[in-house]
């Protein structure tokens, strides 16, 4: 896109599979307060997730969004995580 991504502008990585789920302990991964991702470069998000306590198969999938505006860009691959 043509916009700089910042936390203040509402750019986040959001949970999918299903949308806005809190399966992994959060539904958003935020940019750092002082971070600015210029148009063109890639951004790699790294964070710690908490697996669900109840055994089962869970979908781990994410997508970028601008809060209150739109979801955009490709979804990450849907990975099935088996909790035992």
């Amino acid at each position: 896109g043509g916009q700089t991504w910042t936390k203040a502008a509402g750019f986040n990585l959001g949970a999918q599979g299903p949308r806005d789920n809190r399966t992994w302990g959060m539904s958003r991964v935020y940019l750092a307060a002082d971070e600015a991702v210029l148009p063109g470069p890639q951004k790699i998000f790294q964070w710690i997730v908490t697996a669900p306590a109840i055994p089962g198969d869970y979908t781990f999938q994410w997508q970028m969004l601008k809060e209150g505006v739109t979801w955009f860009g490709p979804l990450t691959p849907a990975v099935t995580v088996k909790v035992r």
Side-chain angles (χ1 to χ4, degrees), residues 21-82:
N21 76 79
R22 296 187 56 82
T23 303
W24 306 101
M26 79 285 285
S27 63
R28 298 288 186 270
V29 180
Y30 299 99
L31 297 168
D34 62 347
E35 187 173 13
V37 181
L38 300 174
Q42 293 183 351
K43 162 69 179 165
I44 296 174
F45 287 86
Q46 295 182 1
W47 72 100
I48 296 171
V49 298
T50 302
I54 299 170
D57 293 351
Y58 296 89
T59 301
F60 187 84
Q61 187 174 41
W62 300 80
Q63 185 179 22
M64 285 300 299
L65 74 144
K66 184 170 183 182
E67 291 290 350
V69 179
T70 192
W71 294 77
F72 66 92
L75 293 161
T76 64
V79 176
T80 299
V81 177
K82 295 181 180 293

